[in-house]
Amino acid sequence: MYFDHLGFSAARIGELLAIPMLMRCLAPNLWGWLGDASGRRLAIVRLGALCTLGSFALIFVGKSYAWLVLVMALHAFFWHAVLPQFEVITLAHLREQSARYSQLRLWGSIGFIAAVVGLGQLFEWLGLGVFPRVIVLIMGGIVLGSFWVPNAQPESRAGLEVQGGFLSQLRRPGVLAFYACVALMQLSHGPYYTFLSIHLETLGYGRGLIGQLWALGVLAEILLFLAMAGLLRRFSLRRLLMASFLLAALRWLLLGNLADHLPALLLAQMMHAATFGCFHASAIHFVQRSFGVRQQGQGQALYATLSGVGGALGALYSGYCWTSLGPARTFALASLAALAAAIIIATRSREEGP
């Protein structure tokens, strides 16, 4: 919405939002390898947070398309140093209680709700021109928070360490299929993350209500995170991932065709519990189970990378299709991508016990 406020076309918005996703193809693997090799993951998190803040602050220098390309690329390169390494640190703190990951991750969701509700109302009052200043304040808070976090190192898992290095573990049955599904899932989210707010505003929803609708999705995600430990005990990761993909396919059809009906829109937003919450938590656990201690950073980095590839392609195709094909057909393509992921995980991955 900020880029739309600056006057950019749908195609240019898609290109700008694809840049951070594309940067996830390079940055997480570099930082992941560095974290595994050095073991100094928390130092990488702190450096990444500082450089992210400095890079994003360049947005105050200019607002031209070329300058914004530079800002998006620089800040994304350092931002993607932070999250994969932080996932490893989090799971290292939890150790044998990894099922509690979701109970920690939900605090990010609470922060997201505070942001979309509060900023939605703020933009109603002050306009979208204040967006960069607000983001800089939030990034400054992330920098401060990173210096309060205690360090932790993952424990060795003998059963995986004997299976060779990262590439050997990557070739284990079902692992490559999982990563293909990660890319397809993020591809399917392209229209949602790039154009949902614009889509809803076009349908007549106010910015304050749009913020509340985003918050509803994340509230559903929080409730899922609270229940995730129980779901992991009852169902295999394969079944949880399949359910996430199938519900994503349905969700995009609802948003593309029935978003002007509030009950359908509310239902679609509540499905965020599956399409992000269940998928992300299951994916983090899958990566942890699939790689040894010296490959954890690279495994999480590859997850971020494939998410970036899918997200970048999703932002690009939705940007190019939004005007020519319209919202319904653009979301229909997203639904097909999620359905393809469900088919792959059903046919190419192994069933594991809960």
Side-chain angles (χ1 to χ4, degrees), residues 18 42 70 75 87 101 104 150 155 165 176 196 204 312 323:
L42 190 55
L70 175 65
H75 104 268
E87 300 282 18
Y101 165 83
L104 296 180
E155 290 182 328
L176 287 174
L196 178 66
T323 302

Side-chain angles (χ1 to χ4, degrees), residues 197-240:
S197 294
I198 294 174
H199 180 44
L200 297 182
E201 195 170 38
T202 302
L203 292 175
Y205 296 99
R207 290 175 184 170
L209 178 57
I210 291 171
Q212 293 167 16
L213 288 166
W214 279 98
L216 173 63
V218 185
L219 178 60
E221 167 191 316
I222 289 173
L223 295 176
L224 186 285
F225 282 148
L226 290 172
M228 195 67 198
L231 291 175
L232 287 168
R233 287 193 295 268
R234 293 187 60 188
F235 303 103
S236 68
L237 290 178
R238 177 172 174 264
R239 292 184 180 182
L240 292 172

Side-chain angles (χ1 to χ4, degrees), residues 172-185:
R172 292 173 63 233
V175 177
L176 287 174
F178 161 76
Y179 279 113
C181 291
V182 167
L184 284 168
M185 186 63 150

Side-chain angles (χ1 to χ4, degrees), residues 30-321:
L30 172 62
W31 296 112
W33 170 83
L34 186 60
D36 285 339
S38 68
R40 302 188 64 186
R41 294 187 174 89
L42 190 55
I44 291 173
V45 168
R46 291 167 176 167
L47 175 65
L50 279 167
C51 293
T52 298
L53 173 60
S55 299
F56 188 84
L58 294 173
I59 199 170
F60 296 111
V61 176
K63 302 293 191 301
S64 70
Y65 177 76
W67 186 256
L68 289 174
V69 166
L70 175 65
V71 172
M72 296 292 279
L74 276 177
H75 104 268
F77 178 79
F78 292 109
W79 174 246
H80 293 311
V82 175
L83 191 55
Q85 301 308 309
F86 206 78
E87 300 282 18
V88 176
I89 293 169
T90 300
L91 291 167
H93 275 292
L94 291 172
R95 299 192 185 279
E96 69 276 2
Q97 301 181 66
S98 61
R100 294 182 58 209
Y101 165 83
S102 300
Q103 297 171 22
L104 296 180
R105 178 57 183 81
L106 67 85
W107 288 96
S109 305
I110 291 171
F112 189 88
I113 287 178
V116 295
V117 173
L119 296 185
Q121 193 60 58
L122 184 68
F123 297 151
E124 288 273 14
W125 293 336
L126 304 178
L128 284 163
V130 301
F131 172 78
R133 281 173 278 174
V134 174
I135 298 301
V136 162
L137 288 175
I138 294 173
M139 288 181 174
I142 292 173
V143 172
L144 293 175
S146 72
F147 283 92
W148 289 340
V149 176
N151 200 9
Q153 296 292 340
E155 290 182 328
S156 225
R157 301 175 65 200
L160 287 173
E161 299 303 335
V162 298
Q163 296 183 21
F166 176 70
L167 292 179
S168 297
Q169 294 175 35
L170 185 62
R171 289 193 292 267
R172 292 173 63 233
V175 177
L176 287 174
F178 161 76
Y179 279 113
C181 291
V182 167
L184 284 168
M185 186 63 150
Q186 294 307 315
L187 174 71
S188 80
H189 277 72
Y192 177 71
Y193 285 129
T194 310
F195 289 108
L196 178 66
S197 294
I198 294 174
H199 180 44
L200 297 182
E201 195 170 38
T202 302
L203 292 175
Y205 296 99
R207 290 175 184 170
L209 178 57
I210 291 171
Q212 293 167 16
L213 288 166
W214 279 98
L216 173 63
V218 185
L219 178 60
E221 167 191 316
I222 289 173
L223 295 176
L224 186 285
F225 282 148
L226 290 172
M228 195 67 198
L231 291 175
L232 287 168
R233 287 193 295 268
R234 293 187 60 188
F235 303 103
S236 68
L237 290 178
R238 177 172 174 264
R239 292 184 180 182
L240 292 172
L241 288 167
M242 276 186 59
S244 301
F245 299 144
L246 290 172
L247 288 171
L250 175 60
R251 185 187 186 195
W252 307 144
L253 291 177
L254 289 175
L255 289 177
N257 296 276
L258 297 173
D260 53 335
H261 299 283
L262 187 59
L265 180 57
L266 294 173
L267 175 62
Q269 284 304 91
M270 287 188 286
M271 287 182 180
H272 197 68
T275 62
F276 177 80
C278 184
F279 166 72
H280 178 67
S282 300
I284 292 296
H285 282 281
F286 186 97
V287 172
Q288 187 203 27
R289 293 183 186 183
S290 299
F291 297 97
V293 62
R294 300 300 296 176
Q295 294 80 33
Q296 285 283 309
Q298 294 170 84
Q300 296 290 354
L302 186 60
Y303 170 59
T305 295
L306 270 296
S307 296
V309 171
L313 294 176
L316 284 172
Y317 95 77
S318 58
Y320 293 132
C321 294

